[in-house]
Amino acid sequence: MASLDNDDPTVRRRSSFAALARLRGYVAFWLKALSQPTIDLRLRTGTRQLTRIIESPGLSLPRDELDTLVAQLRMVAAKTLPAESLTYGVFSGEPERLKRAIITLICDEETGQPIAFNALSVMDVGLDGEPVAVTHLGLVMVDPDVRGQGLSWVLYGLTALVLFARDGLRPKWISNVTQVPAVVGMVSDTFSDVFPSPLPGSRQSFAHLQLARGIMARHRAVFGVGAEAGFDETRFVITDAYTGGSDALKKTFEVAPKHRSAIYNEFCARELDYVRGDDVLQIGRIDLAGARRYLLREVPSGSLPALLATSAVLALQRLLLPLIHWLDDSRAFGTLRPRAHREAREARDAR
């Protein structure tokens, strides 16, 4: 009878050492993520793939490194849109634009060649008279030569999960502007309280409306929408959206990548005018429920660190998180407000 490789003690030891090495890498990654004042993290996220997450590169990187980073983003964009160039947001190379950006860049570990990126932006928007930070999911581009290699879990969720963890697992608002059915479905499936979405139970709250109005009034440049573009507040549809530097991204419905669930494809075909060039503005939140969905659905199930992270999220949800939030008097928790914030408001009201 032929022996199996798994029965070889040497093979088993090598496999165990490799698993421990991966685990140590994930532990080091999360320790850095939770301790660095400004994120600059590197993590191996696949075979021959190295991911770097850089927060506020316009502030944290010297000019030569910033120029190199922008050049890497443009290299991916050039392979994605060979006949076009993008001029808005991170592609401008302006440090001011990159101060509010969070870049997730995936490179080939052996060659250093950039193969994919996501450019998030943090926007200050008013909600109920208070400023809140909204994380815009931003532009995602993948080298056509490596599409279909399972990069979406890194590009669409990993950085949002890191930001969520760094903020003490407090719910964070996110936004997304797209005409791609696959992306509409990904956002609807991953995040919580998403509007608009074809899923049952999706509804527009006054918070959604306030945030959408603030984003459209002050932050159109983040996603390359010109001042002349319209906005349908009932449906959260941006009309004639491709006029502010993002023209090269405009797609027909036939070309736009579809979701495996027809409900999202039908939603986009019904709500968006692709000839005119419409986008949908989605607003939602990442919270513990969303983080759990992301870990269970998107992160490769065979990853031991992913399973450990899932267990940690469940434990925090059931045992620790309410106590941590209750004891922290420096941050808002639901209707509770920090002591300094409350005292300032009381002094203002007394005047």
Side-chain angles (χ1 to χ4, degrees):
M1 180 184 294
S3 63
L4 298 175
D5 287 342
N6 288 341
D7 293 331
D8 188 332
T10 302
V11 173
R12 289 201 303 271
R13 283 196 298 271
R14 288 175 181 172
S15 178
S16 299
F17 288 146
L20 287 172
R22 288 196 299 271
L23 181 57
R24 284 198 300 269
Y26 273 83
V27 170
F29 173 86
W30 282 108
L31 287 175
K32 288 182 180 179
L34 297 173
S35 62
Q36 289 181 337
T38 302
I39 297 172
D40 191 348
L41 303 169
R42 289 176 172 82
L43 179 69
R44 184 176 291 104
T45 52
T47 305
R48 294 181 54 187
Q49 293 170 3
L50 188 64
T51 295
R52 184 183 184 188
I53 302 175
I54 317 164
E55 182 181 11
S56 304
L59 290 173
S60 61
L61 296 183
R63 185 70 218 197
D64 58 337
E65 292 186 29
L66 186 64
D67 290 342
T68 299
L69 175 64
V70 173
Q72 290 177 309
L73 302 182
R74 288 173 175 164
M75 287 174 64
V76 178
K79 294 201 70 173
T80 308
L81 303 167
E84 305 285 355
S85 63
L86 299 175
T87 59
Y88 75 96
V90 296
F91 294 108
S92 68
E94 300 173 6
E96 191 63 34
R97 295 288 186 195
L98 290 158
K99 286 179 182 178
R100 304 289 288 177
I102 304 171
I103 306 297
T104 304
L105 177 67
I106 305 177
C107 293
D108 184 285
E109 189 173 14
E110 293 184 7
T111 66
Q113 182 77 9
I115 58 175
F117 72 85
N118 183 10
L120 282 72
S121 295
V122 180
M123 307 178 292
D124 290 325
V125 186
L127 178 62
D128 295 333
E130 301 288 344
V132 299
V134 177
T135 302
H136 184 68
L137 296 183
L139 179 64
V140 173
M141 286 192 171
V142 180
D143 186 327
D145 294 338
V146 299
R147 287 177 184 168
Q149 293 188 13
L151 303 180
S152 60
W153 75 274
V154 178
L155 295 170
Y156 285 108
L158 180 60
T159 305
L161 183 66
V162 169
L163 297 175
F164 174 59
R166 277 172 58 89
D167 201 34
L169 304 184
R170 288 172 169 81
K172 296 180 71 68
W173 288 101
I174 62 95
S175 64
N176 174 57
V177 171
T178 189
Q179 61 175 185
V180 176
V183 177
V184 170
M186 181 278 302
V187 172
S188 299
D189 288 341
T190 302
F191 298 98
S192 300
D193 198 20
V194 174
F195 181 86
S197 166
L199 293 179
S202 175
R203 67 178 186 87
Q204 182 194 116
S205 68
F206 187 50
H208 287 107
L209 184 58
Q210 289 180 78
L211 294 174
R213 286 174 173 173
I215 290 170
M216 294 304 298
R218 297 179 49 205
H219 298 289
R220 293 180 179 223
V222 169
F223 39 87
V225 170
E228 64 273 27
F231 182 61
D232 184 333
E233 290 190 350
T234 302
R235 299 182 299 133
F236 276 25
V237 170
I238 306 171
T239 57
D240 195 15
Y242 294 84
T243 57
S246 60
D247 312 49
L249 297 175
K250 183 178 177 181
K251 298 176 177 63
T252 64
F253 178 74
E254 290 71 25
V255 170
K258 305 302 187 294
H259 196 274
R260 59 183 176 274
S261 175
I263 188 175
Y264 299 114
N265 307 326
E266 295 165 358
F267 170 79
C268 290
R270 180 176 67 250
E271 299 293 335
L272 302 179
D273 184 334
Y274 283 82
V275 175
R276 179 173 58 194
D278 291 355
D279 274 339
V280 61
L281 168 60
Q282 291 180 292
I283 294 177
R285 292 182 301 163
I286 180 168
D287 54 13
L288 277 169
R292 184 172 62 245
R293 284 194 298 272
Y294 167 73
L295 289 167
L296 292 173
R297 296 179 184 177
E298 303 299 332
V299 179
S301 59
S303 171
L304 176 60
L307 296 177
L308 292 175
T310 302
S311 300
V313 168
L314 291 171
L316 284 168
Q317 182 181 32
R318 297 188 179 190
L319 301 174
L320 301 178
L321 189 58
L323 178 61
I324 293 171
H325 285 178
W326 180 267
L327 294 176
D328 183 1
D329 66 356
S330 66
R331 307 289 295 277
F333 177 48
T335 59
L336 301 180
R337 292 292 178 263
R339 180 184 304 169
H341 175 92
R342 184 175 65 252
E343 291 174 350
R345 173 168 289 184
E346 290 173 352
R348 186 172 63 249
D349 292 343
R351 292 197 298 270

